[in-house]
Amino acid sequence: MGRKKVEIKRIQEKSCRQVAFCKRRKGLLKKAKEVSILCDVDVAAVIFSNSGRLYQFSSTNRLFFISV
């Protein structure tokens, strides 16, 4: 048995949408870190929230971001 296919659509309730964003952001940054370690590559991830807040990950000091 596999998982059901999930329909991709906007989450209408604001609090549920914020919770989903936080969980997915954490998972995405974790995966970026794992890929950088397992594959020995430079990885950068930049995420902007609806409120304009910046979340970033860089696997090395050579990669840097300037927030505008």
Side-chain angles (χ1 to χ4, degrees), residues 10-58:
R10 182 184 167 106
I11 300 171
Q12 295 300 321
E13 192 174 333
K14 189 173 183 177
S15 61
C16 291
R17 188 169 54 243
Q18 182 62 32
V19 169
F21 172 77
C22 290
K23 288 180 179 180
R24 287 176 178 262
R25 181 191 71 226
K26 184 178 176 182
L28 182 62
L29 295 176
K30 181 180 176 183
K31 288 291 184 185
K33 183 177 179 180
E34 290 174 356
V35 166
S36 70
I37 293 169
L38 293 173
C39 300
D40 193 29
V41 295
D42 294 340
V43 176
V46 180
I47 304 169
F48 289 99
S49 68
N50 281 344
S51 62
R53 186 158 181 195
L54 171 69
Y55 300 94
Q56 62 188 18
F57 168 78
S58 174

Side-chain angles (χ1 to χ4, degrees), residues 41-44 56-65:
V41 295
D42 294 340
V43 176
Q56 62 188 18
F57 168 78
S58 174
S59 60
T60 64
N61 290 333
R62 292 185 297 158
L63 301 172
F64 62 93
F65 304 100

